[in-house]
Amino acid sequence: MSFGLSGSKSKSKSSTDSNLTSTTTPNVPDWLLQPAQDAAANIAKLGKTDPSTLVPGEDPLQAQARVRAGGLTGSPWNFDAAADLTRGIAGQGAKKVESASLLDNLESYMSPYRKDVVDATTADFDAGAGKTRAAQDLAIAGEGAFGGSGAAITKSATEGELARGRATTMATLLDQMFNTGAGLSNMDAGRRQSASSENASLAMQQRAQTLDAARQLADLSAGFDATQRANIATQAAAGETARGIATDQVQAPFNLQDWINQAMAGLNPDLFTGKTTNEVGTSKSKGSGSQIGASASASYGGGK
């Protein structure tokens, strides 16, 4: 610290009036002054920045995710198709197995046997019986006068045998006809019932396959929709990350300036800044005293 005084004065016992002006000038070293000036210029420049430019726009991935989200209309395998399949199955009654009996249309199975076997056999039997009667009549006629009472007895016995033979033959043929027709009808009934059971089984299998197809269709649709939404969410997240990076980039100059301000404040500039004080003024004495002019200067601190 130094002080300096200059001027003239005279000794006087009279009182004096003084009018002094003091000027203090800081002494800042260049290594501290230049960064402060640069920081101030940068702050002024940053202060003119358009705030809207500090907010990054929508990232392309975010735009793509937004468009895709707006276009979600369900998968190519629409749930309605699966629902229609399910409703169609639900509206169908269970396929019934039709029972079949050998008595169903039994007569139709016996008719060919009666025509081709029974009628033909009885016709042949009747033809044989006629030949027997004719031969008997011829034998009796050879005995003369048709044989009398003995001939009548012979004819009666012959007719009885012929009747029993025809009845036995008819009974055997009818029994065979029934058994044959019943067997055919039973086999056909079995085939019809088996076919009905098979049709019912196939119908159940078809219903099960249709329901399974509906479930698979619904699963495919749900899986497709979930994948679409997951893709959109991934794109949106990636876009938000990219937008965050862009935000950091536009904020970087302000963050740097904030760091500079804090660093300079941490240097404590008052420790390196000095001051120079100059006092300039006049004084007047009353009475017989003379006028005195004076100036003083002082400097201290860390200036150059």
Side-chain angles (χ1 to χ4, degrees), residues 112-176:
Y113 192 93
R114 178 182 291 111
K115 178 181 178 182
D116 297 334
V117 179
V118 177
D119 291 350
T121 301
T122 54
D124 185 63
F125 182 88
D126 291 340
K131 290 180 181 180
T132 299
R133 292 187 185 94
Q136 188 179 57
D137 289 341
L138 183 59
I140 293 174
E143 295 177 358
F146 298 104
S149 59
I153 294 173
T154 300
K155 284 186 176 183
S156 178
T158 300
E159 289 298 326
E161 291 299 327
L162 290 174
R164 283 192 296 274
R166 193 176 194 280
T168 300
T169 301
M170 285 295 296
T172 301
L173 291 174
L174 291 175
D175 181 65
Q176 292 176 353

Side-chain angles (χ1 to χ4, degrees), residues 224-248:
F224 181 86
D225 289 342
T227 300
Q228 291 295 96
R229 285 171 170 77
N231 290 343
I232 291 173
T234 301
Q235 287 179 330
E240 183 61 28
T241 299
R243 188 171 180 272
I245 294 173
T247 300
D248 292 342

Side-chain angles (χ1 to χ4, degrees), residues 127-218:
K131 290 180 181 180
T132 299
R133 292 187 185 94
Q136 188 179 57
D137 289 341
L138 183 59
I140 293 174
E143 295 177 358
F146 298 104
S149 59
I153 294 173
T154 300
K155 284 186 176 183
S156 178
T158 300
E159 289 298 326
E161 291 299 327
L162 290 174
R164 283 192 296 274
R166 193 176 194 280
T168 300
T169 301
M170 285 295 296
T172 301
L173 291 174
L174 291 175
D175 181 65
Q176 292 176 353
M177 179 184 69
F178 179 81
N179 289 334
T180 301
L184 292 173
S185 179
N186 189 44
M187 286 190 294
D188 194 28
R191 286 191 293 268
R192 284 186 280 115
Q193 189 159 338
S194 177
S196 179
S197 299
E198 186 67 21
N199 289 336
S201 178
L202 290 174
M204 290 299 295
Q205 292 178 11
Q206 184 178 13
R207 284 163 58 89
Q209 291 173 353
T210 303
L211 287 174
D212 186 59
R215 283 191 292 269
Q216 292 182 10
L217 195 62

